[in-house]
Amino acid sequence: AQSVTQLGSHVSVSEGALVLLRCNYSSSVPPYLFWYVQYPNQGLQLLLKYTTGATLVKGINGFEAEFKKSETSFHLTKPSAHMSDAAEYFCAVSGGAGGTSYGKLTFGQGTILTVHP
Amino acid sequence: EAGVAQSPRYKIIEKRQSVAFWCNPISGHATLYWYQQILGQGPKLLIQFQNNGVVDDSQLPKDRFSAERLKGVDSTLKIQPAKLEDSAVYLCASSVTSVGRYEQYFGPGTRLTVT
């Protein structure tokens, strides 16, 4: 079984400030972890993913996330927020290759990011 | 490459009516997923196809929902009869199945309102 908890349904930052969106997961097998972004009336777009290897992963639009196994966390960060980053962000987990949960994404509740000028 | 296509984008129906959604995945993607996203929640997997076979439909309310993927390409999701609680965005996604390619690519979704 796997689950995702996103801490904070709404996060508000000023333009140019650090963005930190928190994600904790639960998985009975080594997880694959993902962050997706959703703009209004659009589908989900993949920001970045962790599967194996380097625990600090970089994605599109200047976002990055670090997999911390001991903390079961995969927090999303961006050093300097831009107005165009305003959207809803979803953390998701799936099991690794060969497992029964491989390819099956379980999503968190989402975090709405607001960026103030 | 062209993305995942879905239609219609919006649909309003009355409860107890039926509705169907269509999805065309990215060319060459063998795996297709249907998700339900209720307002304020993350997407929830309804059904997963591998080519034209069902891999997982454990979360699909089979008394009213059905889905098919004929010829392993396009897919349709049907609700009959609809209930108020079916109001949601229905997302289709597709992915390749080769090792090392884990990403799911999502379509724009169909927003269903049941009145």
Side-chain angles (χ1 to χ4, degrees):
Chain A
Q2 52 195 28
S3 65
V4 174
T5 301
Q6 292 183 237
L7 301 176
S9 58
H10 290 81
V11 170
S12 181
V13 301
S14 299
E15 192 173 20
L18 172 71
V19 175
L20 171 60
L21 304 182
R22 300 178 186 274
C23 171
N24 288 90
Y25 70 90
S26 172
S27 177
S28 57
V29 297
Y32 291 167
L33 295 157
F34 306 82
W35 276 99
Y36 283 85
V37 60
Q38 187 175 35
Y39 298 99
N41 299 315
Q42 295 187 27
L44 279 72
Q45 179 184 7
L46 180 68
L47 276 178
L48 49 78
K49 66 181 186 291
Y50 168 80
T51 55
T52 59
T55 56
L56 181 63
V57 294
K58 297 183 184 300
I60 62 172
N61 301 339
F63 285 93
E64 62 182 37
E66 185 171 12
F67 169 58
K68 291 188 177 181
K69 183 178 178 180
S70 61
E71 298 178 8
T72 61
S73 69
F74 191 58
H75 302 330
L76 181 70
T77 60
K78 182 174 180 177
S80 177
H82 192 272
M83 297 295 289
S84 60
D85 294 327
E88 189 162 17
Y89 292 80
F90 292 93
C91 182
V93 63
S94 77
T100 57
S101 59
Y102 172 61
K104 296 179 174 57
L105 290 176
T106 299
F107 286 87
Q109 296 285 83
T111 298
I112 295 173
L113 176 66
T114 303
V115 182
H116 297 287
Chain B
E1 60 182 1
V4 177
Q6 290 188 247
S7 68
R9 291 295 314 277
Y10 305 91
K11 189 74 177 179
I12 301 173
I13 62 172
E14 296 182 351
K15 60 184 178 183
R16 291 187 289 275
Q17 287 186 324
S18 62
V19 64
F21 313 128
W22 173 82
C23 172
N24 181 243
I26 293 173
S27 177
H29 282 196
T31 309
L32 185 147
Y33 311 80
W34 283 102
Y35 290 86
Q36 179 191 58
Q37 185 178 19
I38 293 173
L39 185 64
Q41 299 181 19
K44 182 186 79 172
L45 178 67
L46 291 176
I47 189 168
Q48 176 185 352
F49 291 94
Q50 179 78 19
N51 296 308
N52 60 352
V54 175
V55 174
D56 183 358
D57 64 357
S58 58
Q59 303 278 12
L60 188 73
K62 299 180 187 63
D63 58 333
R64 297 184 300 107
F65 285 65
S66 64
E68 61 182 9
R69 190 183 185 196
L70 299 177
K71 301 180 181 179
V73 182
D74 294 6
S75 177
T76 56
L77 176 69
K78 297 179 181 179
I79 307 175
Q80 182 178 12
K83 293 185 176 181
L84 295 177
E85 59 260 37
D86 298 332
S87 293
V89 175
Y90 291 85
L91 295 165
C92 179
S94 69
S95 69
V96 297
T97 55
S98 58
V99 174
R101 301 281 301 277
Y102 310 104
E103 301 94 305
Q104 292 185 25
Y105 296 85
F106 285 80
T110 297
R111 182 177 299 277
L112 173 67
T113 302
V114 182
T115 62

